[in-house]
Amino acid sequence: MDVFGVMIGLVLLFGVAVMVLAVVGTVKAARAVGAKIEKHEANARRAVENATLKAKTYTKVGPPAQIASVRLGLRTSLDGTRQVLESGLAQDGQLGEALALLNRLDAHAAELDGELRTLEREPDTARIAAKLPELRERAERITHSAETMRWAAQDRMHRFADDELSRLSQECESEAGALRHWDVAGGGASSGASAPSAPSASSAAGASGSGSGGSAGAARAGLTDGKGRPSAEELLGLADPLAKLAQRLRKPSAGPSAG
């Protein structure tokens, strides 16, 4: 009974552990899905806001159009810098520091955008005229900082690409030299080869008996020169049956009689 009770306890413990793991996995999956949905929602909302601001720059006149232009330029600069930094972060980890600075700069831009929205709803045109130059100057400072990091990241990635291409070109040239090593080795072997010794009598006799057949056999057959190609019978698989049929039809010649 004690062993049976221990087994039941282990089974229950295993079931509880499985349930806990399932609950934890479900919670993590739900959080991941929620974060992805929030990211897509934020991107969609930002796209709608950018389109609205761009429309205001063409449809509005006076201070409302100027405020919309400042807000649109601020968003465009930050978005462009973020795309450049995030795209190069996988290849260059140092861009992470620039991305952290951009996040701090984005927080200042969010505060400035809120002030611009408030000023956009201001009915007093005199106050708008008084506050807009200051807010535009702050926006230009943020935009300049973002553009400076974006241009530096672009120059850095371009420099790394040039360095990698230079190293790759050198490796290709080295490999090409290694592939041509057979030419250098062949020239050295031909120049350093010793003179052939005089042929012996048996080899001279064999050479005279073979005649031109030895020189013909030394030639290597090519793929398209017609040498060494199989016959039609070999291609059709009829070479062996025809040879056997010829042997059967061939009558043995009668030898001389003993008498």
Side-chain angles (χ1 to χ4, degrees), residues 91-110:
Q91 291 78 20
D92 188 2
Q94 192 171 353
L95 295 179
E97 299 179 2
L99 190 59
L101 292 176
L102 181 66
N103 292 331
R104 294 171 57 187
L105 197 64
D106 199 1
H108 287 279

Side-chain angles (χ1 to χ4, degrees), residues 30-49:
R31 288 180 179 177
V33 172
K36 187 177 293 186
I37 291 175
E38 290 180 358
K39 182 178 180 180
H40 288 295
E41 182 180 358
N43 292 335
R45 183 171 59 252
R46 181 176 293 272
V48 172
E49 291 177 354

Side-chain angles (χ1 to χ4, degrees), residues 72-130:
L72 182 61
L74 192 64
R75 290 167 177 261
T76 303
S77 178
L78 291 173
D79 288 340
T81 304
R82 184 175 297 278
Q83 290 177 3
V84 171
L85 295 180
E86 289 180 351
S87 63
L89 184 60
Q91 291 78 20
D92 188 2
Q94 192 171 353
L95 295 179
E97 299 179 2
L99 190 59
L101 292 176
L102 181 66
N103 292 331
R104 294 171 57 187
L105 197 64
D106 199 1
H108 287 279
E111 295 178 359
L112 178 59
D113 187 73
E115 295 181 17
L116 288 170
R117 285 200 309 267
T118 302
L119 188 64
E120 191 176 13
R121 296 188 295 267
E122 176 63 41
D124 189 358
T125 57
R127 180 170 178 77
I128 295 177

Side-chain angles (χ1 to χ4, degrees), residues 18-32:
V18 171
M19 290 180 61
V20 171
L21 291 176
V23 170
V24 171
T26 303
V27 171
K28 288 184 177 180
R31 288 180 179 177

Side-chain angles (χ1 to χ4, degrees), residues 152-168:
Q154 290 173 348
D155 294 341
R156 181 181 178 86
M157 289 185 288
H158 181 70
R159 178 62 181 272
F160 282 172
D162 289 343
D163 294 342
E164 178 64 22
L165 181 58
S166 299
R167 289 193 298 267
L168 182 60

